[in-house]
Amino acid sequence: NAGVMQNPRHLVRRRGQEARLRCSPMKGHSHVYWYRQLPEEGLKFMVYLQKENIIDESGMPKERFSAEFPKEGPSILRIQQVVRGDSAAYFCASSLPGQGQETQYFGPGTRLLVL
Amino acid sequence: SQQGEEDPQALSIQEGENATMNCSYKTSINNLQWYRQNSGRGLVHLILIRSNEREKHSGRLRVTLDTSKKSSSLLITASRAADTASYFCATDAWNAGGTSYGKLTFGQGTILTVHP
């Protein structure tokens, strides 16, 4: 059973460009979470999605950031018009649905560098 | 301290010694989880302890939870050089509906260095 997969692993963008980060959850997992980690810091929650639904986006900036988890295909975190402050590691995690299934399994992350 | 804040920030020990890391949090929780992160890598889930549990073991790991003090500790016994990593605690809170919020709140982490 493959783990959570993220691509690309590294992404370099110039200011003003768009960044698209992809996450494929573990097989059977229908809950996806995105977190951001700045250097030397812990992870900060951004958004929680289930298939075709955004459950909680309280940690996501109101502008330029969006996330989706379509019925088919990976979850996408999209950052429009990137700025230098968006440089960070972005981690995706997935979990099984239901009580007692709260363990979140993390992917290797996408390291975004904005020049 | 922030929700899920670890103490100490850095810990340096010799192989074979035990390592203890502490975590404090502020709000009521559903569960508390410990993760390990090697430099520049993703997070590896170590152990989950629920709010109604007081202690849990997994191999060389022992986790305790004191909900009255809103604190948890992670003990790694007989440490190895391969245990060198950052360790994070993360809390998962209840929502008004009595289910998990689903989002984890992480602390800043403890950087553990185990010298051979």
Side-chain angles (χ1 to χ4, degrees):
Chain A
N1 187 7
V4 177
M5 291 169 29
Q6 290 187 249
N7 69 81
R9 295 291 303 275
H10 299 272
L11 182 61
V12 179
R13 285 287 178 265
R14 296 193 181 279
R15 280 179 296 170
Q17 292 185 318
E18 178 179 289
R20 278 185 181 243
L21 288 63
R22 295 174 189 77
C23 168
S24 296
M26 287 179 70
K27 188 176 180 181
H29 287 197
S30 57
H31 294 206
V32 165
Y33 314 82
W34 285 93
Y35 295 85
R36 176 165 63 178
Q37 184 179 34
L38 296 171
E40 310 300 324
E41 293 190 11
L43 279 71
K44 296 287 193 293
F45 168 81
M46 297 181 73
V47 62
Y48 164 30
L49 309 105
Q50 296 176 18
K51 284 284 187 181
E52 299 184 280
N53 283 306
I54 296 175
I55 306 302
D56 183 345
E57 55 182 347
S58 59
M60 201 149 70
K62 295 286 186 288
E63 298 180 352
R64 301 189 298 108
F65 285 72
S66 62
E68 62 176 12
F69 188 17
K71 188 176 179 182
E72 302 290 339
S75 174
I76 306 285
L77 179 67
R78 183 182 176 206
I79 311 172
Q80 295 178 289
Q81 298 174 322
V82 295
V83 300
R84 288 216 173 109
D86 296 332
S87 295
Y90 291 83
F91 290 95
C92 166
S94 71
S95 70
L96 287 164
Q99 284 289 347
Q101 309 288 352
E102 301 94 339
T103 298
Q104 294 186 19
Y105 297 89
F106 282 78
T110 293
R111 278 148 187 85
L112 172 66
L113 176 63
V114 180
L115 301 176
Chain B
S1 60
Q2 62 174 300
Q3 182 80 353
E5 181 169 306
E6 291 86 349
D7 163 52
Q9 290 187 328
L11 182 61
S12 182
I13 59 174
Q14 295 295 129
E15 234 177 3
E17 293 180 340
N18 295 342
T20 299
M21 289 160 269
N22 303 297
C23 168
S24 61
Y25 58 92
K26 291 182 177 176
T27 62
S28 295
I29 61 169
N30 171 24
N31 63 65
L32 186 145
Q33 305 182 36
W34 284 91
Y35 287 85
R36 183 185 73 220
Q37 184 180 36
N38 290 85
S39 181
R41 308 287 289 275
L43 277 76
V44 174
H45 184 263
L46 296 176
I47 199 163
L48 180 153
I49 186 165
R50 300 193 185 285
S51 59
N52 61 353
E53 296 176 310
R54 291 297 166 257
E55 188 171 311
K56 209 161 182 181
H57 297 256
S58 176
R60 293 183 296 114
L61 305 180
R62 173 176 167 256
V63 168
T64 61
L65 179 64
D66 187 335
T67 52
S68 67
K69 294 180 180 177
K70 291 187 168 57
S71 67
S72 172
S73 67
L74 170 67
L75 168 67
I76 304 174
T77 59
S79 62
R80 305 166 183 167
D83 294 329
T84 294
S86 293
Y87 290 81
F88 295 92
C89 70
T91 53
D92 180 7
W94 292 108
N95 62 24
T99 57
S100 166
Y101 271 115
K103 61 184 181 186
L104 296 177
T105 302
F106 284 82
Q108 299 280 68
T110 292
I111 300 171
L112 173 66
T113 303
V114 182
H115 300 281

